[in-house]
Amino acid sequence: MHNRSQRAAPLAVAIMLALSATTQAQDNQQGSGVKELDKIVVTGSNIPRADSETASPVQVITAAEIERTGKQTVGEYLQTLTANGQGSIPKSFGSGFASGGSGVSLRGLGAGSTLVLLNGRRLAPHGLADDGQKVFTDLSTIPTEAVQTIEVLKDGASAIYGSDAIAGVVNIILKANYQGFAARASYGISGDNDMANRKVSAIAGFGDLADGANVFFTMEVGNNDGTLMSSRRNREWIGTSDLRPWGYSVEGSPTLGGSIQSGGTVGTNSPVVNLRRNDGTYFSLPGCSAVSDIAPPDPGGGCLWDVAPWRSLVPDEKYLTLFGRATVRINDNAEFYAEVGFSEKKTRWQVQPGGVSGSWGFPGGPVNASSGPGATVLGPNHPDNPLGYAARPRYATFDIGPRVTNNKNQFQRLLFGVNGAWGEWNYDVGYLHSSTQLVGRRTGYLRYSRVREVLASDNNPLHAYWRLGDDAHLNNQAMYDYISPLIQAEATTSLDMLDFKANRTLWDLPGGPLALAVGAEYRTQKVELTPLTYTDIGDIIGLGYSAYKGSEKVGVAFAEVLAPIAESIELSAALRADSYQGGDTAVTPKVGLKWTPVEWLALRGTYGEGFRAPNAAESGDGGLAAFTTAPDPIRCPNGVPAPNGGTQADCNAPLAVITSPNPNLKPEESKSYTLGFVINPTPSTSITIDAWQIKRSNEINQESTAAAIRAGNVVRNDNNLPGIPNSGTLLAARANYVNSASSTMQGVDFDLRQEFDLDAMGKLAFDMQWSRINKFRRIEADGTTFDYAGTHGNCDITNCAGTPKNRANAGLTWSKDRWSVSAVANYIGGFENTLQQGGGCATQFADGSNAPNGCRIPSFTSVDLSGKWKVLPKLELSASLQNAFDKIAPLDPTTYGAVNYNPMHYSGAVGRYFTVGIRYEFD
């Protein structure tokens, strides 16, 4: 990290001079004439204030707003935010690096650029980095029952919170004071009579802060049944890999296995084996009718099979979360507080059987089991080889079964501190320890070296061949134990932080008291991920290496002022210095202005700078071998398959990317701007409109996959196009982490809240949030420009979910006496099925026309309904129905975050979901 102090210093001096000039015009008296501030602290500031609307846009979400959607966890709810975008991590993305985690990505800049706080303080990151690179906070550790509000700061906030707050901050605020005992139980079931969700929670507390002490404790226990893709065969493309009924070819169905393509020169994994002749063409061994009923058959002569019966749509989950807080008054001016949290979550996710060929990477380089000297072959004497010479098989290991990932993640958090008043100062000092321990175990994967042994010859420790396809029943368990062992990885993270902050008023200005906040912080964060067994030597077929280890120690000092320089003008300014071990320092300023010319109108704006320090996965010890998709400029020039061998699969080719850490990385930096207004024409009406822009530079990325392909830093199969050497199917690319690009995003947020008093008919409340992205432009180091707004890109970010220009939510709640009924509509705009503006269509129909819908992923709207009835003063019944109109998610064959649907449209894959609940307050 380099020093930014010189750049920030002029701004800091200007702020101080402006404040000095203002204060010199005032009576420098401190004492009885100074006005006291109401103690309301809004996310994005350390200064208590009387008005909750600051210069920065903050969305405040209540527990009731979460409950009315029927969402069972904080993570599920935050996925529906209109400001959430590309790069978020849903629980349904179990095949990703961060399987079992849940993360939010404000502005589509990735989960690593959104800072998540719990009660205003950081948490230890999830043990598995997203994409093997982006360290993020797992939202599934948060107890929903304890949530009081969630505040979403839609503005850069490094000047307040430090690293990672480039896109904004999500501050989850838990209850601080509770008396009594209440228990809640709920049960959910899908319209297909699966995905049962059982949840029990309780909260108990005693004592009142007004009397000097309060202690409360919450507990949540849940058990969620997963389901397979095949359970949704009634939902068109959701429950199948075969997209031919909707106009696609076999090659255009990316997860349909077993085919033989490109005139026989490309064979995919088949449950009965596609075997390669010496002339370079594949043929299928017999027995397909016993394992597949897909019709019509493969025109290339392969044995087609569907991943749906093997692949999870939703994972199995079991979880326990605990949270407790104690507050004790020490004297009239101080109180002691302590918080303790614990969660344990177990998830199970499965995908289709693997193969015996492919490509992957490890620290020693790429491994090519598809061609060349490392190819997996059936020996000439193998009983399932009719050719009589060594031949390459493409085999789907039905006899081994699905590849299963079981993760167990534990999270701990301990906080204690003292806050109070000392003279004119209000202070808060605390110590935080937070940690995670994750163990991931996998079955169904194959050891490369042993597979080669038992397929090439019976001269191996078992003195036997591994029999395939029709003859797999001849294998014994010892064979499977030998080639498919249990593998596992372990991840640990920890965060230790000591912080101090204080605020006070100084003297009166024309609009109120000048307020000052100062503080300091010291934190140590450590992360470590061990590689999955045998991946450090490249010996697990199709599974790349991922490991990292590192730590950071940071000393922090910050200051903030709030200056009402006139009755209608409020100026805010903040400055923060983060000094990392080794002498590197980042200094980040922020200024804000709020002008209220009339009581019902306020204009506001901010400018801030931010940064994200390289994390251990990017700059520490370790490395990454991941998978992505990219167009092959040789086999699919200009988005059109090359004649004499190119296929549609080459236009969105899956390949391994082997990436190494870089200790010389610079931090990502950002400049953010907001400009908007707040209108309150009546006491029951609130309207906010805020335009925003974020420019992020020195972005830490893998070297561009496209650039690596153009430079020839790739591994290819040997099925070359006629007359074109080194033009075989893409298998792998080599890259490093580099500061390679800058991105600029621009958009507008709109928020409307309106309440109606219906007299005897009760009350009606309406709210609407709308976010529009006008620009998402990325400029590579070589000057190449990509525009992603309204397209399926940026696919370098998790799950390739796309960047729709519009997202909106609207809610309507009617309440009267003991009843309330709510409806919430969630809208996600459509976007072009191109990887960037002006690019070719990512997928085509079998007839060569752009797909789907003329190269467009349609918009998706779902409606959630809920109701509550207070049967007795202490007894409440509730019910909710998600996706009430049973809308089906649009077909999206481009994303790799789900199969044939976009992960943003998850509720449309599941269908209707019913939940009933009961809550009782005990005496």
Side-chain angles (χ1 to χ4, degrees):
M1 186 183 302
H2 66 300
N3 195 309
R4 303 176 60 205
S5 301
Q6 292 181 343
R7 206 159 48 128
L11 178 58
V13 172
I15 293 169
M16 294 301 108
L17 288 174
L19 290 174
S20 176
T22 302
T23 55
Q24 285 174 10
Q26 311 304 316
D27 182 7
N28 279 341
Q29 297 298 318
Q30 301 179 39
S32 60
V34 176
K35 301 175 184 177
E36 292 298 323
L37 295 176
D38 293 335
K39 292 191 176 181
I40 300 173
V41 178
V42 180
T43 298
S45 174
N46 290 305
I47 296 176
R49 54 185 297 121
D51 183 1
S52 61
E53 289 290 357
T54 69
S56 295
V58 179
Q59 180 181 350
V60 180
I61 301 158
T62 66
E65 289 179 88
I66 300 173
E67 186 178 358
R68 70 178 182 176
T69 65
K71 302 293 189 283
Q72 296 296 303
T73 67
V74 170
E76 287 180 51
Y77 177 82
L78 291 176
Q79 296 288 328
T80 69
L81 289 178
T82 61
N84 182 49
Q86 168 86 298
S88 64
I89 305 166
K91 71 174 185 179
S92 57
F93 190 31
S95 56
F97 275 93
S99 176
S102 176
V104 63
S105 170
L106 296 180
R107 308 306 189 197
L109 290 174
S113 290
T114 297
L115 180 62
V116 176
L117 306 174
L118 184 65
N119 290 342
R121 286 182 167 96
R122 292 173 177 257
L123 300 94
H126 188 49
L128 299 177
D130 176 34
D131 279 346
Q133 174 194 359
K134 306 172 189 73
V135 174
F136 72 100
T137 300
D138 180 16
L139 296 168
S140 64
T141 62
I142 307 298
T144 309
E145 178 67 24
V147 171
Q148 179 172 300
T149 59
I150 299 175
E151 295 183 351
V152 181
L153 175 64
K154 303 177 186 180
D155 188 12
S158 288
I160 305 297
Y161 300 112
S163 179
D164 309 331
I166 284 177
V169 177
V170 175
N171 186 13
I172 301 164
I173 301 170
L174 305 185
K175 295 179 175 69
N177 185 17
Y178 183 85
Q179 301 90 41
F181 174 55
R184 183 196 301 265
S186 64
Y187 179 80
I189 194 78
S190 77
D192 287 283
N193 200 34
D194 60 6
M195 292 177 57
N197 180 320
R198 311 158 196 87
K199 180 179 176 181
V200 175
S201 61
I203 181 168
F206 60 89
D208 194 323
L209 287 180
D211 298 325
N214 177 258
V215 177
F216 77 91
F217 176 82
T218 68
M219 177 192 71
E220 285 184 6
V221 180
N223 187 345
N224 304 334
D225 293 343
T227 193
L228 299 174
M229 273 180 57
S230 55
S231 68
R232 295 302 183 270
R233 290 197 184 276
N234 61 330
R235 300 186 68 76
E236 302 189 57
W237 45 78
I238 303 298
T240 181
S241 295
D242 191 356
L243 297 181
R244 291 178 294 172
W246 296 277
Y248 291 83
S249 63
V250 169
E251 295 89 345
S253 302
T255 57
L256 183 62
S259 62
I260 295 176
Q261 308 170 13
S262 192
T265 62
V266 175
T268 60
N269 294 336
S270 164
V272 296
V273 186
N274 286 327
L275 200 59
R276 188 177 187 266
R277 304 181 183 93
N278 275 345
D279 65 1
T281 62
Y282 286 85
F283 71 99
S284 176
L285 297 185
C288 185
S289 60
V291 294
S292 175
D293 59 358
I294 293 181
D298 178 26
C303 178
L304 300 179
W305 62 282
D306 195 339
V307 305
W310 303 95
R311 187 181 179 100
S312 294
L313 178 71
V314 180
D316 293 298
E317 295 179 318
K318 295 181 180 179
Y319 61 89
L320 165 69
T321 62
L322 305 171
F323 176 78
R325 179 180 172 95
T327 309
V328 179
R329 184 187 301 162
I330 300 172
N331 54 44
D332 289 343
N333 296 314
E335 64 181 25
F336 170 82
Y337 60 89
E339 295 177 359
V340 60
F342 173 83
S343 76
E344 180 177 280
K345 182 180 179 182
K346 299 177 181 178
T347 60
R348 181 187 184 277
W349 177 271
Q350 70 176 59
V351 296
Q352 64 271 21
V356 297
S357 56
S359 61
W360 58 96
F362 74 111
V367 180
N368 182 2
S370 294
S371 61
T376 303
V377 297
L378 285 187
N381 298 319
H382 193 292
D384 298 320
N385 183 356
L387 295 176
Y389 53 80
R392 303 177 199 168
R394 298 293 183 262
Y395 179 51
T397 58
F398 275 30
D399 51 325
I400 290 178
R403 290 168 291 171
V404 179
T405 298
N406 287 281
N407 283 343
K408 177 182 177 181
N409 186 42
Q410 290 187 341
F411 166 84
Q412 300 89 27
R413 179 177 182 268
L414 173 65
L415 168 70
F416 58 85
V418 176
N419 60 36
W422 183 57
E424 298 293 331
W425 291 90
N426 299 308
Y427 67 88
D428 185 354
V429 58
Y431 170 75
L432 169 70
H433 172 76
S434 179
S435 62
T436 68
Q437 300 86 37
L438 183 144
V439 177
R441 295 186 171 92
R442 302 195 187 194
T443 59
Y445 290 83
L446 297 172
R447 283 199 69 179
Y448 171 54
S449 57
R450 292 184 175 180
V451 166
R452 296 187 74 193
E453 283 181 10
V454 297
L455 290 182
S457 166
D458 61 359
N459 184 20
N460 55 64
L462 299 181
H463 304 292
Y465 285 101
W466 176 22
R467 304 299 302 273
L468 307 180
D470 257 357
D471 294 322
H473 65 280
L474 300 175
N475 298 312
N476 58 29
Q477 188 59 44
M479 174 63 70
Y480 294 122
D481 292 342
Y482 184 69
I483 62 176
S484 183
L486 172 71
I487 60 177
Q488 77 172 46
E490 298 182 4
T492 58
T493 71
S494 66
L495 171 67
D496 288 275
M497 184 171 74
L498 179 65
D499 64 10
F500 167 81
K501 55 189 174 184
N503 66 81
R504 63 163 295 171
T505 58
L506 297 177
W507 48 77
D508 278 347
L509 300 178
L514 172 68
L516 170 70
V518 295
E521 172 187 312
Y522 182 80
R523 71 176 187 270
T524 300
Q525 181 169 293
K526 299 178 181 179
V527 298
E528 181 176 5
L529 171 66
T530 62
L532 280 160
T533 316
Y534 306 120
T535 61
D536 57 333
I537 56 173
D539 205 31
I540 298 296
I541 292 177
L543 196 58
Y545 171 86
S546 179
Y548 43 81
K549 180 179 181 180
S551 64
E552 60 181 27
K553 297 180 180 180
V554 190
V556 176
F558 57 85
E560 181 185 356
V561 292
L562 181 64
I565 59 178
E567 287 289 343
S568 60
I569 300 177
E570 177 184 282
L571 174 67
S572 57
L575 195 66
R576 177 179 172 116
D578 291 70
S579 179
Y580 284 73
Q581 187 179 45
D584 299 328
T585 301
V587 178
T588 47
K590 183 174 183 177
V591 293
L593 180 66
K594 180 182 173 185
W595 176 38
T596 310
V598 292
E599 185 178 355
W600 52 269
L601 173 65
L603 307 179
R604 62 187 181 184
T606 64
Y607 165 78
E609 297 182 11
F611 76 102
R612 183 181 75 83
N615 61 50
E618 297 163 332
S619 62
D621 299 324
L624 169 68
F627 290 87
T628 189
T629 57
D632 186 336
I634 297 177
R635 299 181 66 89
C636 184
N638 301 315
V640 179
N644 301 320
T647 72
Q648 183 59 46
D650 295 314
C651 300
N652 196 34
L655 71 158
V657 180
I658 304 163
T659 310
S660 301
N662 181 356
N664 298 316
L665 288 172
K666 300 176 182 178
E668 295 183 344
E669 299 177 356
S670 69
K671 294 182 178 180
S672 60
Y673 309 82
T674 66
L675 182 64
F677 55 86
V678 181
I679 305 175
N680 300 111
T682 72
S684 60
T685 307
S686 174
I687 302 171
T688 65
I689 300 178
D690 293 282
W692 55 270
Q693 174 179 293
I694 300 173
K695 182 175 181 179
R696 184 173 63 179
S697 57
N698 285 339
E699 290 182 334
I700 301 172
N701 299 302
Q702 295 171 340
E703 286 181 285
S704 166
T705 305
I709 295 172
R710 289 195 301 268
N713 296 324
V714 296
V715 177
R716 291 182 177 271
N717 207 333
D718 60 0
N719 58 327
N720 292 331
L721 299 174
I724 305 177
N726 195 32
S727 61
T729 304
L730 279 173
L731 297 174
R734 303 181 188 89
N736 292 313
Y737 289 119
V738 292
N739 295 106
S740 65
S742 65
S743 293
T744 301
M745 295 192 69
Q746 293 176 352
V748 179
D749 291 327
F750 172 84
D751 192 304
L752 167 65
R753 297 174 187 269
Q754 175 68 60
E755 295 181 355
F756 302 92
D757 190 339
L758 306 179
D759 297 325
M761 296 297 294
K763 294 183 178 180
L764 191 66
F766 173 78
D767 65 276
M768 177 182 176
Q769 297 81 42
W770 168 60
S771 294
R772 177 174 174 83
I773 295 175
N774 295 320
K775 179 180 181 179
F776 187 171
R777 175 171 295 170
R778 175 171 163 175
I779 303 176
E780 300 289 347
D782 63 2
T784 305
T785 299
F786 300 97
D787 287 295
Y788 297 119
T791 75
H792 218 306
N794 173 8
C795 284
D796 288 340
I797 298 178
T798 298
N799 63 44
C800 189
T803 308
K805 288 186 175 181
N806 296 289
R807 290 192 67 163
N809 296 332
L812 189 66
T813 299
W814 171 80
S815 59
K816 183 179 185 298
D817 300 329
R818 297 178 296 166
W819 294 87
S820 71
V821 179
S822 296
V824 178
N826 306 287
Y827 169 82
I828 300 173
F831 51 91
E832 300 299 318
N833 189 27
T834 60
L835 300 184
Q836 66 269 340
Q837 291 179 15
C841 194
T843 58
Q844 283 77 39
F845 288 123
D847 63 6
S849 61
N850 291 337
N853 308 296
C855 200
R856 185 168 180 81
I857 308 299
S859 64
F860 178 69
T861 303
S862 63
V863 175
D864 303 327
L865 304 177
S866 65
K868 293 193 297 184
W869 175 34
K870 201 143 194 176
V871 184
L872 299 169
K874 296 182 178 295
L875 175 64
E876 180 180 86
L877 303 180
S878 61
S880 67
L881 174 58
Q882 297 181 59
N883 195 3
F885 299 111
D886 203 25
K887 300 285 285 187
I888 296 177
L891 173 59
D892 183 352
T894 303
T895 180
Y896 59 86
V899 176
N900 299 337
Y901 74 93
N902 195 289
M904 292 189 293
H905 305 154
Y906 166 74
S907 63
V910 171
R912 290 191 182 99
Y913 197 87
F914 305 84
T915 303
V916 294
I918 182 172
R919 187 176 193 275
Y920 189 80
E921 297 180 5
F922 296 86
D923 292 327

